[in-house]
Amino acid sequence: QVELVESGGGSVQTGGSLRLSCLVPISTTSMAWFRQGPGQMREGVAASYSSGKTTYYSDSVKGRFTVSRDIAKNTLYLQMDDLKPEDTAMYYCAAYRHKPGTWFEPSVYQYWGRGTQVTVSS
């Protein structure tokens, strides 16, 4: 059973920053960050394809979040800047060995972490 391991969550005030990390113990082509707030569906926020040269973002985080990966460290990152209370959620890392047909459909991804909590207070 392959499990990804997220870290870096925490509590910050509006306008603050956090960097999430995800250790990925396998070779994968596509990776993504999802989040799920209380009573909400899981939504994709950022994705990285191949070596990280191609990235995708949801409209809600575009311009504020940056996804990147360190191949040598088998790690995916999510730099989150200008955080807002609506960013409060559990953040999950996900991976897929190939290129998905759609980047932000949770059912596509084969491997998941257990999540790391991000809380943004006003």
Side-chain angles (χ1 to χ4, degrees):
Q1 183 75 13
V2 176
E3 186 174 290
L4 314 183
V5 182
E6 303 98 336
S7 61
S11 297
V12 296
Q13 293 187 328
T14 297
S17 298
L18 285 172
R19 189 176 82 154
L20 307 183
S21 299
C22 174
L23 181 62
V24 186
I26 56 173
S27 176
T28 61
T29 298
S30 305
M31 301 188 67
W33 288 97
F34 286 78
R35 67 185 181 187
Q36 188 167 16
Q40 298 180 355
M41 296 182 65
R42 191 168 295 190
E43 68 164 331
V45 295
S48 173
Y49 174 63
S50 187
S51 60
K53 294 179 181 179
T54 304
T55 56
Y56 302 89
Y57 298 93
S58 67
D59 289 341
S60 60
V61 307
K62 196 173 296 182
R64 300 187 298 121
F65 289 12
T66 304
V67 62
S68 62
R69 61 167 70 176
D70 186 328
I71 303 298
K73 295 183 178 179
N74 292 332
T75 301
L76 181 75
Y77 300 100
L78 185 67
Q79 177 67 40
M80 305 186 295
D81 298 317
D82 189 23
L83 283 162
K84 304 175 181 181
E86 51 264 42
D87 294 319
T88 295
M90 184 72 80
Y91 282 72
Y92 299 89
C93 175
Y96 180 55
R97 290 193 181 273
H98 308 293
K99 183 179 181 180
T102 176
W103 289 99
F104 295 143
E105 171 51 52
S107 64
V108 167
Y109 291 84
Q110 299 165 297
Y111 308 106
W112 289 85
R114 296 189 177 188
T116 184
Q117 178 68 37
V118 171
T119 302
V120 185
S121 58
S122 58

